[in-house]
Each structure stands twice: as structure tokens, then as C-alpha cells.
Amino acid sequence: MTGSRTEGAGRTEGIERAEGVAAEVSETVAEPVGEARAESLAVPDEAGPDPYDNRRQVLYWRLLARLFDPEEQPALESASLAVVEDIGLPSALLDPGASVDSVVQRHPGLDAEFDGLMTPEPEADGARDRAAEVRRAALASKVLLNVFSTGSGTVTAEQLARWQADAGWLERAFGCPPGAFRGGRGTGAPVPGPGGAGGVGPTGTGGGRTPDLGRLIPEIGPELGSIEAGLVKRMHLREVLADPQLAARLTPSMSLIEQLLRDKDNLSGTALANAKSLIRRYVDEVAAVLRTQVEKATVGELDRSVPPKRVFRNLDLDRTIWKNLTNWSPEEERLYVDRLYYRHTSRKTTPQRLIVVVDQSGSMVDSMVNCTILASIFAGLPKVDVHLIAYDTQALDLTPWAHDPFETLLRTKLGGGTDGTVAMALAQPKIAEPRNTVVVWISDFYEWRTEELFESMAAVHRSGAKFIPVGSVTSSGRGSVNPWFRERFKDLGTPVISGHIKKLVHELKTFLT
């Protein structure tokens, strides 16, 4: 409660400060500014404030006030209206209920101004440039308010579609195509092409300037994805899935996939087909990233005991020429080759058995999705025998579908309690050759029968199998682990891996190569 009061006091103080600034400059910004007045303001009086800075402050104070409190602050609203009208922009920019699309439809001339709106502009002096900054502040405030002020309560499909369109305008303002941030590409240079993956919004590819977005804290892509996921949670998802056009606008994210997996048994027809399409899109996107990490991590050393295959693609031309230089004929200008040399391509690999046990209870959805995809990638590697087990209070052997994460996820039953002993009963018989087996156990380890489960895990470790406890396999690296298990795993010599999925890939690389 103390934190709430402090936060509320801070917001009240900020709003009061904003109203004070608005009151101080409202008379100035409300006056019409003709060419003569603009000229007189080109070089502000050293003793007084810059009127253009005052205008921008009003607009930004209003933006902050509306983000923290949906209630109008009369002084800020009236001052902002005066600024907007003074610089020749429509008052619709101040209407929180108006989408950017609707404003641009009524005032087509504004379309181009949103392209690259928030990319750095070359610095210049003069009244015209400072006036342009005020104009940019008004347009930027509109986009930011529409995207980051999402209100509360139930969200309709129409409202979600409008937010997605406004997010597309924000991406254009950063010089990127609509959908670029939400399509999994994050911040960075503009993505080429007519649009981004999975996004929706106005057509166009940005203003042509390459934005420097590396300093954004936090990165804007994940933040937009989080906002969209929150909107999806507040709406009737089945209504959207039943409409192919609305479903196509959804951006696959972990929050959305979690909802689809939880609700898949209640979907049918078009809604189920659209849900499966979104799950597959997300799986493919994550798999593409993880596959690159795995391929880089699981390349063994060259096995020179195996003769190289004598095929053209393995021919070592440089070595062949070097070794046959003594056969060069100056008169004929011809090299006679006595022997061909080939590259070794066979790598040292040992057949390994990888047993992945994943907690599919409600708190481990992120790990379930990521590790299911990771298991499928390892299942595609030569000489790696992958087994996949998912559990809550019951265990499910998903090994027959381990190569296909999409089919695997459709067979999961997310939620419920946690009883790892039932999963251990399935996993132990699979450990035929302990020295050649790695068991990866992904869970937060908040278990019902803690002592019994830990003793069975310790027995697996003592048998010679590689036991890897994993507390979190998420994209963000966040997660919690039962401290009781954490301490005992540490004493056992198998500390819990907790963090980014790259850590797990590295551990598996060490064992499998």
C-alpha cells in the first residue's frame, strides 16, 4: 500500500507540475503566430524562455499526463489545442479515440510526415526549424499515446485491429516497415520489403533514413509484443480466430501461443485452423533461431582416422596443386597431376541419448514451448537419440512426435499441479547406457514429493548419466527455482542452469561433441 501511495503522489505531483507549465505558457501559445511574430521569435530574448520550447513542453507534458492518468487535465488540454491549431495541425490529433488511420484519411497531407518521424534530424538553427520540431512533437505525441495508452477492460476485435494499425504507424515513425518490430526482428535497421512479418498497418516502408535504435531502453520490439499480448488477453480470442482477416493480423508471441494451447480443445473449424497456423508460425520463427545456435554448437572435431570420401565436392584443389608442382612442364605450360588430395569431412561423433523432461504446469509454459522446439532440433541431428517427456501430475511420453514441435505442442495439456515422480518413472527405463546419456530436467522444482524426487535424480547422477537441472529456459532469462532444490543440486555437483536458452545449448554441446 505504501508503494501505491507513493506512486499516486508522484503522479499527482507530476500532473500538477504539468498544469503549472501549461498555465505559464498558455497565453503565449494561444496567440496566433503570423510571419512577423515568427520572425520576431527567431532569436528569443535572452531573459525569457524560448516560445517553441514552451510549445513542445506543453505537448509532452500532456502526453505524460494522459499516459499516467486517462482523465483530462483542462489546462494542458486547452494549451495543447492552442499549440496544435497555431501550427496548422488538425485538432483530431488530440482526440484519444481517433486512430492515426482516421486522422490521415481526413488529412492525407500528414501521411508522409509520419515516415521517419522519430529518426534523428540534422541539427539546424532558425525559427522555421524550431517550429518544425513543435510539429513533430505533436505528431509523435499522437502515435505514442495511441500505442502506449491502452486503457482497461474488455478489448474488442476492432480495438485490437486499430491498435495494430497504430503500432504500424509507430514503426513507420522509426523508419521501419509496419510489423518490423513485432515480427521478431527487434530493433535495428529498417527491414527491406513492403512490410514486416506478422504486422498490420498502413502501407509504406518508412522515410528512407536508417534509424539508430540500439540505444532504446527497453528495446521497443518486446515492449510492443507485450502490449499486444495484454490486449489479446483482454479480448474474446475465439471471435478473432473465427475471422481469417483478424487472425492474420495477430502477431505470434509467447503469451498468444500460451492462450491458444490452453484453449485449443474448445476450438473447431476456422478458429482451430487459424490457431494452428499461428502456433506453426511461432514455432518456425523460434526454431530458425535455435537451429542456428545448435548447428554452431554441435560441430565435432574432424575425424582423420576415417579416409576422406573421394568425391569432387571434397577435392582440395590448393593442396593438390601444391603437392604436384614438381610435375610442372614449362615448355607445355601444363601441370601433370599424379595424385589427388581430398578434404576430411567426417567428424568425431558418438551416439548419444538425450532425454528431455519438461514440466508443463501453468508456471512453465515458456519453457515447454522453447524446449519442445529445442528437442526437435536435436532429434534432427545424426546419432542423437532424443526422448521427450512432459508432465504435471501425470506424465506423457511425446517421443514419437519429438521431431515435430508443432505436433508435440498440440498434444500437451498445459496447467495443473506438479509431480515429477511420475515423469521419473518414464525416464529411468530409458537410461540404458548411463555414460552415454544426458537427462535434461526443466522445471521450477516446486514439487509435491520433494525428497522422493530428489533422491531419484541423485541416483541418475550417481549412475554416470549426465544430469542437467534447468530452472528457466525462456527468451528473457527470467524464472524462479525452488531454493530447496537449488541448494541440493549445488551440493550434488549439478548446479541449476537458470537463464537464457543459450546456456542449455552450450551445456548440450559440451556433452554431445
Side-chain angles (χ1 to χ4, degrees):
M1 293 297 293
T2 302
S4 299
R5 290 195 187 103
T6 302
E7 181 180 0
R11 291 180 180 178
T12 301
E13 181 181 352
I15 292 172
E16 290 175 352
R17 166 63 179 155
E19 288 183 316
V21 172
E24 291 175 7
V25 300
S26 58
E27 293 184 3
T28 301
V29 300
E31 297 176 6
V33 180
E35 293 183 2
R37 177 163 174 76
E39 183 177 354
S40 67
L41 292 175
V43 180
D45 183 6
E46 294 181 359
D50 186 335
Y52 293 103
D53 284 342
N54 285 344
R55 288 170 170 81
R56 283 187 303 173
Q57 284 189 42
V58 167
L59 294 171
Y60 287 138
W61 274 112
R62 174 188 178 272
L63 170 63
L64 291 173
R66 295 301 295 259
L67 286 173
F68 287 111
D69 188 348
E71 294 296 326
E72 287 188 0
Q73 307 301 318
L76 285 172
E77 293 298 326
S78 59
S80 298
L81 179 61
V83 171
V84 167
E85 292 178 343
D86 197 32
I87 58 180
L89 289 174
S91 59
L93 286 174
L94 302 179
D95 181 4
S99 67
V100 179
D101 271 341
S102 65
V103 174
V104 171
Q105 285 174 1
R106 298 175 194 170
H107 307 275
L110 296 178
D111 189 316
E113 292 194 51
F114 283 98
D115 283 335
L117 177 67
M118 298 183 189
T119 55
E121 283 281 350
E123 295 184 4
D125 297 327
R128 176 175 295 182
D129 297 313
R130 293 201 301 277
E133 289 176 1
V134 178
R135 189 177 183 91
R136 291 180 65 187
L139 296 174
S141 296
K142 174 60 179 175
V143 179
L144 291 171
L145 186 61
N146 278 27
V147 172
F148 291 100
S149 179
T150 57
S152 59
T154 303
V155 174
T156 65
E158 181 181 357
Q159 289 173 322
L160 175 64
R162 194 187 77 171
W163 181 89
Q164 289 170 326
D166 286 334
W169 285 102
L170 178 64
E171 287 158 329
R172 282 183 60 179
F174 277 109
C176 297
F181 292 164
R182 291 162 291 148
R185 280 165 267 194
T187 58
V191 182
V200 64
T203 59
T205 57
R209 292 187 294 270
T210 300
D212 177 15
L213 307 180
R215 293 176 295 176
L216 283 178
I217 303 175
E219 290 187 355
I220 196 170
E223 288 301 312
L224 290 180
S226 177
I227 293 173
E228 185 175 32
L231 292 171
V232 170
K233 286 183 179 179
R234 290 160 48 192
M235 68 181 301
H236 300 292
L237 184 58
R238 297 177 197 175
E239 173 189 347
V240 178
L241 293 173
D243 186 329
Q245 291 185 344
L246 291 176
R249 294 173 176 173
L250 291 175
T251 303
S253 63
M254 184 60 72
S255 298
L256 176 59
I257 298 308
E258 177 181 347
Q259 289 196 69
L260 294 176
L261 291 175
R262 291 184 185 280
D263 202 36
K264 64 182 185 297
D265 292 336
N266 299 319
L267 302 175
S268 61
T270 301
L272 180 59
N274 288 329
K276 289 183 176 180
S277 176
L278 285 165
I279 295 173
R280 185 174 290 281
R281 280 171 56 194
Y282 185 78
V283 166
D284 289 345
E285 288 175 6
V286 176
V289 176
L290 294 183
R291 188 175 293 109
T292 300
Q293 297 176 6
V294 171
E295 288 173 351
K296 290 180 179 179
T298 57
V299 178
E301 297 179 358
L302 288 174
D303 189 352
R304 300 191 179 277
S305 65
V306 178
K309 291 184 179 181
R310 297 177 178 272
V311 294
F312 179 76
R313 68 173 178 271
N314 290 342
L315 181 62
D316 190 340
L317 287 175
D318 290 341
R319 191 175 177 213
T320 297
I321 293 172
W322 177 258
K323 291 289 187 179
N324 288 280
L325 280 178
T326 55
N327 299 327
W328 170 255
S329 173
E331 295 81 9
E332 302 177 63
E333 294 186 351
R334 179 173 296 181
L335 178 67
Y336 290 92
V337 177
D338 291 335
R339 179 182 174 186
L340 297 174
Y341 291 83
Y342 296 88
R343 298 185 184 90
H344 287 79
T345 56
S346 178
R347 297 185 179 273
K348 293 179 180 180
T349 57
T350 304
Q352 307 283 0
R353 172 162 291 188
L354 172 62
I355 302 173
V356 181
V357 183
V358 189
D359 179 351
Q360 66 171 353
S361 63
S363 60
M364 296 295 293
V365 175
D366 201 333
S367 291
M368 182 69 213
V369 174
N370 277 293
C371 288
T372 297
I373 297 171
L374 187 62
S376 73
I377 294 171
F378 277 100
L381 297 177
K383 301 181 180 180
V384 179
D385 181 22
V386 175
H387 295 256
L388 179 62
I389 298 171
Y391 76 97
D392 42 39
T393 54
Q394 296 181 325
L396 181 63
D397 190 346
L398 297 168
T399 302
W401 304 279
H403 65 284
D404 188 341
F406 173 72
E407 291 295 332
T408 301
L409 289 172
L410 291 183
R411 286 169 170 78
T412 58
K413 300 287 185 181
L414 301 179
T418 309
D419 185 2
T421 59
V422 296
M424 183 60 77
L426 281 180
Q428 281 182 322
K430 296 178 180 291
I431 309 175
E433 299 178 19
R435 297 287 177 185
N436 199 31
T437 302
V438 57
V439 178
V440 178
W441 197 290
I442 300 105
S443 175
D444 54 12
F445 297 100
Y446 284 93
E447 293 283 342
W448 177 37
R449 292 184 278 191
T450 55
E451 293 280 359
E452 183 180 348
L453 178 59
F454 179 76
E455 285 304 318
S456 62
M457 291 175 171
V460 169
H461 174 68
R462 289 192 297 267
S463 72
K466 173 74 171 178
F467 186 82
I468 305 177
V470 183
S472 173
V473 185
T474 66
S475 301
S476 62
R478 300 172 184 171
S480 62
V481 176
N482 186 335
W484 188 91
F485 270 92
R486 185 186 290 278
E487 289 301 316
R488 278 153 184 79
F489 281 133
K490 186 177 180 180
D491 295 339
L492 191 64
T494 58
V496 175
I497 295 176
S498 183
H500 202 282
I501 195 169
K502 287 183 179 179
K503 292 185 179 180
L504 177 56
V505 172
H506 176 75
E507 286 292 321
L508 293 176
K509 172 207 71 173
T510 302
F511 184 80
L512 295 172
T513 57

